[in-house]
Amino acid sequence: MSFRSPIIEEEEFPQHTGGAEEANFKNQLPDNCVEYLLFFIDPQVDIRKQLAQIEIVRKSAIELATTLTKDYIWQKEEFNLTLKNENGLLYLHGITDYSDAVEDEWLIVYILRELSKSHPNLWIRVFDTDGEFLLVEAANVLPRWLNPEIDNNRAWINKGNLLLIPVKDGEGLRARHLELPDAVQVIKTKRDALAHSGFVEAEAFYRLEKYPRQISESLHHSLITIPRKLAYILHSLPKSVAPAVEEFYLRDPIALKRVISPTQPLAFPPEDLITVSVRFSKVLFAQLRSQRFDAPPSWSEVLRKAQKEAPSGEADTIMARLDIGMKLTCGFEMLAAKAEKSKSRVVRELAIELEDLSEDGNEALPSDEDIKAWTDHDRDDSEAWMDINYQDFEKELDGKRENASSNSKSGFGDANTQSDLRKIVSRFEAFLNDDSAGMDGAELDEMDYDDDDDDEFDEDSEYEDKEVSFDEEEFAKMMREMMGLPSTGPSTNTAKKAATQPKTPVIDEEDEEIQKLTTEFEAELNQFGALKLDPVEKHTRLKDVTQKEGESSLTDIKEEEENSDDEVDIDYNLAKNLLESFKSQAGMAGPTGNLLGMMGFQLPRDEEDENEKEDEETGHGSAKWKGKARA
């Protein structure tokens, strides 16, 4: 039951939000997603021909993506396009969730850029959760008028180039926040006004230089030990490894029930195991390899038997392959439990394959000879890319890599990692060596300042009373005269005022009284030496030896006051503190004893205190015996 009034609830929880806020909420992308819009813009083409051209572009994009990613394994979702009609705009739209694989995002950018080269009237906009990530890559060379506040819908890809819609054109200043229909209208009517910078384009597309070579280099083949049934599934559906690894990587107790249950039948029981090469992406393999996973009951005996029967020199390799195979099999086991209701096409195909195998039985499974005929059935790539050599890493940072030839394989990581690292270091050095930056650090554009504050400041300055305004030089001159210091020459402002005011101002009675008080105050300070800035030599005074104890004089008090500022013997205090700390240890181990022992010092035990303690204990003991004797 709520005791809050309806009025308060309506104020704090409004039923209707503004149109702009609602649109921003709808357009907000989930995390790790990239969105891309493809427009066919030709003012001379009507709507029917435009629809036909868009369909041609869609087929061309799907064909290009299929050709480039034939053997590629997407982390979560593939490149996709659907026709969309919104706000009077007809275009192709796609969203891809790349999860932890950022390379999937840049592969999509590469596909879109290559597609734009074959379609001159194709205009593409691509962005992700962070916004215009292409402009983020080129942040070091962006023009001063472009900042994250106004970059929305301004970056477009056309004919392989990156074009920017400027803020200003021939008609003057445009709106800061450019909406998508307005951006499309600018491209239709004022295509020549778009700005193109080779530096911005080179920085934005820097990661695309390694494509299409990067598509094959991002894959990893590894020999693992898995059931024959799973080997058949992976050979038929090689891209199903991605959802299986994700299912294992993000497992929860509910999903693990199917794996750890001793009574529930398994879709991939650990029997008829074979060692075969499986194709992963490097991200998927790293996720699978880095996970710690206790063997379920169905795999415990298999691992124990393999450990016992493995040859001495190959035990580590055999157990590593079996461990990876166990993790992947458990991932497929959890994936098979919900394959029929999945939204993924690959996972639904997995459910169909399992249903066919249940009907055909083990006779449909491949034999050892069939497996040997598969392509790359025994390929086992090196895992050196997962190792980090910190010495090579330091050399890369310092730019002192040995064997700098292009054919050399030494160094930190692969060639792409080395190139990215050198670029990061070069950008950082350029930032540090930027002489154009002022003493205040980052420079702001004029548009970053708030004009309202400037207007208020100007209004205040207009109504300011000029006669009572504060003059720093006059105040400094008065203070120097009051302190008895020689006054400096007449300032520029004073000279200007004297030139503009030829007549001597009349001195009021209040001014005369103030000057009189100032003169008296200055004379009193000079009398007691408060204004004497020159240091007076201190004469050391020796204490009279014949002075009796307990007597004190004014001279001794002054001497103590003068000597109170003398330096303290730091070495004496240090030794005193060390000894007191050592004494408080009472012969036990402590910080002071350990520290001095490391420095080679061995302090003697405090015999005097020990003797006193023994005497006290003896005294107490004798008293006790006396008490007993009396009793």
Side-chain angles (χ1 to χ4, degrees), residues 155-375:
W156 293 81
I157 301 175
N158 176 252
K159 299 179 183 179
N161 301 322
L162 183 64
L163 302 177
L164 303 176
I165 298 179
V167 176
K168 293 183 179 180
D169 59 2
E171 298 180 358
L173 185 66
R174 288 189 173 275
R176 288 190 175 185
H177 301 284
L178 188 64
E179 299 296 336
L180 183 60
D182 298 333
V184 174
Q185 186 64 26
V186 171
I187 296 175
K188 288 182 179 179
T189 58
K190 299 180 180 180
R191 188 173 301 184
D192 297 336
L194 272 67
H196 175 261
S197 173
F199 295 104
V200 175
E201 181 179 310
E203 290 291 321
F205 294 146
Y206 170 75
R207 293 175 182 258
L208 302 185
E209 295 178 359
K210 53 189 177 183
Y211 286 93
R213 182 185 69 258
Q214 178 64 19
I215 297 176
S216 59
E217 291 181 354
S218 63
L219 300 178
H220 179 80
H221 294 75
S222 179
L223 285 173
I224 61 176
T225 303
I226 54 177
R228 189 182 299 270
K229 185 177 181 180
L230 180 57
Y232 171 74
I233 293 293
L234 287 171
H235 181 69
S236 303
L237 301 171
K239 295 187 178 182
S240 62
V241 68
V245 172
E246 182 186 21
E247 191 69 25
F248 176 79
Y249 190 70
L250 303 177
R251 61 190 180 276
D252 54 24
I254 298 177
L256 281 174
K257 285 184 178 180
R258 182 183 178 92
V259 178
I260 63 178
S261 176
T263 58
Q264 192 170 2
L266 299 176
F268 302 97
E271 56 189 23
D272 193 11
L273 300 178
I274 60 173
T275 301
V276 66
S277 180
V278 177
R279 183 169 71 246
F280 300 89
S281 68
K282 288 185 176 180
V283 177
L284 291 173
F285 184 78
Q287 288 179 339
L288 200 64
R289 182 67 182 274
S290 62
Q291 286 285 295
R292 288 189 176 183
F293 182 65
D294 295 333
S298 58
W299 283 83
S300 299
E301 185 63 27
V302 176
L303 294 175
R304 193 179 302 109
K305 184 178 179 181
Q307 180 71 28
K308 186 183 298 184
E309 297 178 356
S312 58
E314 301 178 358
D316 294 340
T317 303
I318 293 175
M319 295 307 298
R321 293 173 179 176
L322 189 58
D323 181 69
I324 296 292
M326 176 191 65
K327 295 176 182 178
L328 184 60
T329 305
C330 292
F332 270 97
E333 195 70 48
M334 291 182 284
L335 185 64
K338 52 183 179 181
E340 296 180 356
K341 300 179 181 180
S342 177
K343 297 180 180 180
S344 175
R345 178 178 57 84
V346 177
V347 179
R348 292 195 302 269
E349 291 178 357
L350 171 64
I352 296 174
E353 289 287 344
L354 291 176
E355 186 178 355
D356 294 342
L357 285 176
S358 62
E359 295 177 357
D360 299 339
N362 295 333
E363 297 178 357
L365 297 179
S367 61
D368 293 342
E369 289 75 14
D370 296 335
I371 293 176
K372 291 180 180 179
W374 293 350
T375 304

Side-chain angles (χ1 to χ4, degrees), residues 515-558:
Q515 291 182 0
K516 183 178 180 181
L517 291 174
T518 303
T519 305
E520 294 178 357
F521 182 64
E522 180 181 354
E524 186 175 356
L525 292 176
N526 287 325
Q527 180 180 357
F528 290 96
L531 299 182
K532 294 181 180 180
L533 301 180
D534 297 333
V536 181
E537 297 182 359
K538 296 182 179 180
H539 301 282
T540 57
R541 302 178 180 179
L542 298 177
K543 189 174 182 181
D544 189 4
V545 182
T546 61
Q547 186 177 359
K548 297 181 180 180
E549 296 182 359
E551 294 182 358
S552 61
S553 62
L554 182 61
T555 306
D556 297 333
I557 296 175
K558 291 183 178 180

Side-chain angles (χ1 to χ4, degrees), residues 549-595:
E549 296 182 359
E551 294 182 358
S552 61
S553 62
L554 182 61
T555 306
D556 297 333
I557 296 175
K558 291 183 178 180
E559 182 181 357
E560 292 178 359
E561 292 179 355
E562 291 176 359
N563 296 335
S564 61
D565 296 334
D566 293 345
E567 295 183 359
V568 182
D569 193 350
I570 300 177
D571 295 338
Y572 171 76
N573 290 334
L574 177 61
K576 180 181 178 182
N577 294 333
L578 286 174
L579 291 176
E580 289 180 355
S581 177
F582 181 76
K583 182 178 179 181
S584 64
Q585 295 178 187
M588 305 296 290
T592 304
N594 296 336
L595 181 62

Side-chain angles (χ1 to χ4, degrees), residues 72 87 178 430 454 464 496:
Y72 188 76
N87 297 329
L178 188 64
D454 297 340
E464 183 183 1
K496 290 181 179 179

